[in-house]
């Protein structure tokens, strides 16, 4: 997508082919800063500290982490150690496991001398495929937005949560891909951007990337979502996913479940945009999805920009108060109107997903 009119991706390989470049997302929206990942340790740290985040981008960064590790030493031991360390960075997004297993499956059978180059090629393929999958999600999801527009002949109001835009993927985004596609096709669209406490990925990242692309949007406090739905100001909700279980239960950023409940109460369609690598076929439902527990200071403190331009963190709560910070929740499939995948929109059921991914029933791990 575009930054200041220039086509940009969230991760890329440097011209000399020895490092991966990223946007340091912890600095947005106040500063557009880039960082080079030159070692596997850099890649793991970037994921752990959320300089890169979002399920598909975590997977892509981990793949480059493997390539960086093998650039130093292509032995089987080094490959396994790198995968183990990268796997330990964040627990919820299944794209991390998916990408590391794909790298291992591709690289382990090769001769040591072939692994280094093959790792860079495979990581690049993961990135290319991610962009294509999301572009396809965009096409399918834009159909839903178009249908509302054809029915109402007015601006379509889409609500989203967290950041499931191009910053969370390699390009296009998942939940935002339908919005960009509809916008680029000339459909009038407005986005309600839920701020997404405590890390504020909505206010900081979604708002920033929509602004860069010129899409009309309004940031709301998370707690305003139900009220807006009640007053007919939301036509549909599209969220992303960090992991979908085989029955259509969706793990996504904390607060997604509350939006789904309010959507059901108000008859607002609630969609999850889910690329194939985000479906965990090993889980029959969402109860087994590991939910990341993050540091309490993300709740007790907030980061912002001061009048003098400096960015600082301030305390919100009494110093004696404890805080708890689950980073994701699971929305049961029964609250999900449909799942937008790269292969089409399906009901949030095992049957619905299996119809689009029949190969999942054959025990094949590698989807997409
Ligand atoms: O904790 P984060 O910022 O890595 O959270 C992931 C997300 O960006 C969202 O949950 C998103 O909706 C799914 S990733 C496309």
């Amino acid at each position: 997508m575009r930054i200041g009119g220039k086509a940009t991706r969230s991760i890329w390989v440097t011209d000399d082919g020895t490092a991966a470049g990223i946007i340091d997302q912890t600095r947005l929206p106040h500063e557009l800063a880039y960082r080079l990942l030159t070692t596997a340790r850099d890649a793991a740290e970037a994921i752990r500290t959320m300089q890169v985040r979002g399920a598909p981008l975590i997977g892509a960064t981990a793949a480059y982490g493997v390539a960086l590790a093998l650039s130093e030493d292509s032995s089987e031991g080094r490959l396994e150690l790198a995968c183990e360390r990268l796997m330990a960075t964040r627990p919820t997004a299944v794209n991390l496991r998916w990408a590391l297993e794909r790298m291992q499956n591709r690289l382990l059978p090769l001769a040591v001398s072939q692994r280094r180059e093959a790792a860079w090629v495979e990581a690049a393929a993961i990135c290319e495929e991610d962009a294509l999958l999301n572009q396809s999600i965009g096409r399918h999801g834009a159909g839903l937005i178009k249908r509302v527009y054809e029915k109402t002949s007015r601006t379509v109001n889409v609500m989203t949560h967290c950041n499931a835009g191009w910053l969370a993927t390699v390009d296009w985004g998942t939940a935002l891909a339908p919005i960009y596609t509809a916008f680029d096709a000339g459909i009038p669209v407005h986005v309600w951007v839920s701020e997404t406490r405590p890390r504020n990925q909505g206010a900081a990242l979604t708002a920033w990337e929509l602004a860069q692309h010129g899409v009309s949007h309004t940031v709301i406090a998370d707690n305003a979502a139900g009220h807006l739905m009640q007053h007919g100001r939301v036509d549909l909700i599209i969220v992303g996913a960090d992991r979908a279980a085989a029955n259509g239960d969706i793990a996504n950023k904390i607060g997604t479940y509350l939006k789904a409940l309010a959507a059901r109460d108000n008859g607002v369609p609630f969609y999850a945009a889910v690329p194939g690598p985000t479906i965990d076929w090993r889980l029959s439902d969402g109860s087994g999805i590991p939910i990341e527990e993050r540091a309490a200071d993300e709740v007790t403190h907030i980061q912002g920009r001061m009048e003098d331009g400096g960015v600082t963190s301030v305390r919100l709560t009494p110093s004696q108060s404890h805080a708890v910070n689950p980073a994701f929740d699971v929305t049961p499939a029964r609250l999900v109107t449909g799942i937008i995948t790269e292969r089409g929109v399906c009901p949030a059921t095992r049957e619905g997903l299996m119809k689009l991914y029949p190969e999942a029933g054959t025990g094949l791990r590698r989807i997409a």
Side-chain angles (χ1 to χ4, degrees):
M1 305 309 292
R2 295 195 285 274
I3 298 181
K6 186 170 169 250
T8 312
R9 283 188 169 182
S10 61
I11 191 162
W12 60 92
V13 178
T14 52
D15 289 343
D16 64 4
T18 61
I22 58 161
I23 296 170
D24 180 352
Q25 298 190 24
T26 61
R27 313 273 280 271
L28 288 171
H30 307 300
E31 187 192 354
L32 178 58
Y34 301 102
R35 185 183 165 198
L36 279 188
L37 310 178
T38 58
T39 63
R41 190 182 290 261
D42 284 351
E45 186 207 47
I47 298 171
R48 191 176 304 106
T49 60
M50 293 176 71
Q51 290 178 338
V52 290
R53 22 74 45 214
L57 181 57
I58 288 172
T61 308
Y64 279 122
V66 171
L68 288 164
L70 297 199
S71 295
E72 291 166 4
D73 168 5
S74 299
S75 67
E76 191 173 324
R78 182 73 177 102
L79 173 59
E80 276 167 6
L81 184 68
C83 288
E84 203 177 294
R85 287 188 176 154
L86 287 157
M87 189 62 210
T89 50
R90 293 193 71 192
T92 302
V94 75
N95 303 59
L96 177 58
R97 184 185 80 201
W98 173 87
L100 292 173
E101 285 182 350
R102 175 164 160 173
M103 294 297 282
Q104 274 176 311
N105 291 341
R106 170 79 186 106
L107 301 170
L108 272 175
L110 299 181
V112 175
S113 60
Q114 296 175 314
R115 284 192 191 136
R116 178 186 164 159
E117 201 195 326
W120 285 96
V121 170
E122 194 66 8
I126 285 175
C127 290
E128 282 312 311
E129 287 169 31
D130 181 68
L132 289 174
L133 296 185
N134 299 331
Q135 196 176 12
S136 186
I137 284 178
R139 277 195 293 272
H140 292 297
L144 302 169
I145 297 174
K146 190 169 169 226
R147 228 174 289 156
V148 177
Y149 178 59
E150 285 169 351
K151 214 162 112 192
T152 62
S153 304
R154 56 150 176 80
T155 299
V156 182
N157 288 295
V158 185
M159 182 177 281
T160 191
H161 188 63
C162 193
N163 172 255
W166 69 265
L167 287 168
T169 67
V170 174
D171 207 352
W172 286 95
T174 54
L176 293 198
I179 292 167
Y180 289 129
T181 306
F183 173 84
D184 289 350
I187 297 170
V189 59
H190 165 262
V191 187
W192 295 112
V193 177
S194 191
E195 63 179 346
T196 318
R197 277 284 290 150
R199 289 283 299 216
N200 291 315
Q201 288 96 328
L205 304 176
T206 301
W208 182 82
E209 59 163 274
L210 288 172
Q212 291 296 322
H213 203 78
V215 181
S216 159
H217 63 281
T218 306
V219 179
I220 56 163
D222 296 323
N223 295 334
H227 171 81
L228 291 170
M229 291 183 220
Q230 227 171 22
H231 287 78
R233 299 177 70 185
V234 184
D235 292 305
L236 72 159
I237 299 175
I238 310 179
V239 298
D242 296 85
R243 188 183 306 221
N247 71 338
D249 288 351
I250 302 292
N252 193 50
K253 183 53 59 189
I254 194 79
T256 303
Y257 174 45
L258 286 177
K259 284 198 170 55
L261 285 171
R264 175 55 55 92
D265 194 45
N266 290 286
V268 175
F270 180 95
Y271 291 95
V274 183
T278 303
I279 306 170
D280 187 348
W281 296 100
R282 295 179 208 173
L283 292 182
S284 54
D285 64 49
S287 61
I289 298 176
I291 301 296
E292 181 176 14
E293 186 80 36
R294 295 190 57 85
D297 65 7
E298 291 183 353
V299 176
T300 58
H301 289 67
I302 198 161
Q303 185 173 297
R305 184 175 176 161
M306 295 182 298
E307 289 305 319
D308 68 4
V311 173
T312 194
S313 171
V314 293
R315 178 175 263 282
L316 291 170
T317 59
S319 55
Q320 314 91 302
S321 299
H322 295 294
V324 67
N325 187 12
F328 299 92
D329 58 27
V330 176
T331 298
R334 66 186 157 78
L335 298 178
V336 180
T337 309
I339 298 184
I340 310 169
T341 77
E342 69 278 7
R343 299 188 187 181
V345 183
C346 72
T349 60
R350 184 168 187 66
E351 298 68 41
L353 284 168
M354 289 289 288
K355 229 181 193 170
L356 293 183
Y357 299 93
E359 70 273 36
T362 64
L364 268 189
R365 277 186 191 170
R366 189 172 153 173
I367 309 289

